[in-house]
Amino acid sequence: SGEVLAAHLTRLVNILIGAAVVFVTFLIGRTIWPGFPYLALGGAAIVAFNPMFLYMAGAINNDVIAALAGAAITLAAVRLLRDEEGLHWRWGIIFGVLYGLALLSKFNLAAIIVTIELAITWVAWRKKQWRQWVLVNGLLVIFALLLAGWWFARNQMLYGEPTGIERLTELWGVRDPADSLELALVELPYFWTSLWGRFGYGQIPLPSFIYNFLGAVSILSLIGLLIPILRRDKEELSAYGPCLLILLANVATFFAVIFNYLLVSPAGPMGRFFFPALPSLALLLIYGLSRWLALLPAPVPETEQTGDRPSRGMILACLLY
């Protein structure tokens, strides 16, 4: 009862939000690769069974809801790329609402505007819809301000600046970016390990061989992402390239956000700060691993299989699990 009950209910809500992140990750994968559901399942599984994500989903924090906001915006971005109609005013409302909610969940999600604008601008360029580009961006700004503008006004009145970041860094300590580059580089391994699992407040790590294994798998996957380029597979690059660019941009953006935070605050090397891009990373990992199959005869899409014959991709996914 009382505060204890409130804490348990809050943790239950966070578990449900974490489950929603897994489901949205699956939806992103299905949107990008509609003929290969094992890729969507694989990406969702990487998120679902990430020990740090499970740990944070069972605790009280705003990092898991930030992950949901990042996943929802990524899903909207890839669906825009798949929309035959291209830009429409409704996309301005969709992105405005999602971006406003993202800003309310955690301020580091301000950077996800890069992903949003990349998707909007790509579609406008491909379909020559520059007037719609202006309309969509205008609606995006209006709806984001309607949802989140009051929060920044409140911060301005309380702290003298709209984000509250200066006050936060005062509590944690402040670094001079001119002097902290070497320290930030040294802390990157801690960021990597805490992305996958460092419990308590980072004091309880997983066995080191797990981090090494995950690093090796990630390198293998990164090389796998290059296989369609090296093979000059124009069909595959045309079908999936723009959506993969969205995922890559999301990963790069949030890595840049974290590295910048490392330069100004000792609280920076936390893998949970990367959660908004975790679905993108998971899907890139599973796709990169699956591309090694491109060196074998092409797998048959699930929709074209006959009988109970499993695809090569599904066999790979089972082995990976």
Side-chain angles (χ1 to χ4, degrees):
S1 62
E3 294 178 354
V4 175
L5 176 61
H8 280 286
L9 291 175
T10 304
R11 292 174 62 191
L12 176 61
V13 169
N14 217 34
I15 289 171
L16 296 176
I17 293 171
V21 175
V22 175
F23 180 64
V24 175
T25 302
F26 173 78
L27 293 180
I28 296 170
R30 290 292 283 159
T31 301
I32 299 174
W33 306 288
F36 299 95
Y38 75 89
L39 293 173
L41 288 170
I46 291 174
V47 175
F49 299 116
N50 179 323
M52 195 65 185
F53 184 78
L54 283 170
Y55 173 68
M56 296 302 293
I60 301 174
N61 60 86
N62 64 342
D63 293 293
V64 177
I65 198 169
L68 179 58
I73 289 175
T74 305
L75 175 61
V78 297
R79 286 196 168 176
L80 171 58
L81 295 183
R82 296 298 193 197
D83 191 339
E84 294 294 334
E85 184 181 356
L87 291 178
H88 187 276
W89 59 266
R90 67 175 177 271
W91 284 109
I93 298 176
I94 291 171
F95 282 120
V97 170
L98 291 177
Y99 191 54
L101 293 175
L103 291 174
L104 290 175
S105 66
K106 197 160 188 172
F107 182 68
N108 68 344
L109 276 153
I112 206 168
I113 192 65
V114 173
T115 302
I116 296 172
E117 287 300 322
L118 181 62
I120 293 173
T121 304
W122 177 270
V123 173
W125 174 69
R126 290 295 300 272
K127 296 184 178 293
K128 304 296 186 268
Q129 295 178 322
W130 295 112
R131 293 179 65 179
Q132 291 91 330
W133 182 90
V134 174
L135 175 61
V136 167
N137 275 290
L139 289 171
L140 187 159
V141 172
I142 290 170
F143 278 85
L145 286 175
L146 286 174
L147 281 171
W150 64 271
W151 177 255
F152 297 103
R154 171 188 178 276
N155 288 339
Q156 182 67 42
M157 290 186 290
L158 286 178
Y159 309 124
E161 57 97 9
T163 66
I165 295 297
E166 292 182 10
R167 179 60 175 160
L168 184 64
T169 53
E170 287 175 5
L171 295 173
W172 280 101
V174 182
R175 290 175 176 173
D176 183 352
D179 301 327
S180 57
L181 177 59
E182 184 176 351
L183 182 58
L185 293 173
V186 170
E187 289 179 334
L188 285 178
Y190 186 96
F191 157 70
W192 173 254
T193 59
S194 64
L195 175 62
W196 299 103
R198 291 188 75 96
F199 309 114
Y201 200 75
Q203 309 97 323
I204 307 172
L206 296 170
S208 59
F209 76 87
I210 294 180
Y211 303 126
N212 295 334
F213 171 76
L214 290 169
V217 170
S218 299
I219 292 172
L220 186 67
S221 177
L222 180 62
I223 297 173
L225 290 175
L226 299 176
I227 290 176
I229 299 174
L230 296 176
R231 298 178 73 230
R232 298 180 181 179
D233 191 334
K234 294 182 179 180
E235 183 178 352
E236 183 169 353
L237 292 174
S238 175
Y240 308 131
C243 291
L244 292 176
L245 183 62
I246 291 293
L247 301 185
L248 286 167
N250 217 22
V251 169
T253 296
F254 280 94
F255 177 79
V257 168
I258 291 172
F259 192 77
N260 181 71
Y261 196 39
L262 284 172
L263 294 175
V264 299
S265 173
M270 296 293 182
R272 56 191 172 87
F273 296 160
F274 187 79
F275 278 3
L278 181 60
S280 297
L281 176 63
L283 291 166
L284 286 171
L285 287 175
I286 196 68
Y287 180 71
L289 292 173
S290 74
R291 287 308 83 203
W292 289 101
L293 294 173
L295 303 179
L296 301 174
V300 178
E302 299 295 326
T303 56
E304 298 179 8
Q305 292 181 42
T306 58
D308 297 324
R309 182 182 59 186
S311 70
R312 294 178 186 272
M314 188 63 75
I315 294 172
L316 173 66
C318 292
L319 291 172
L320 288 172
Y321 298 159

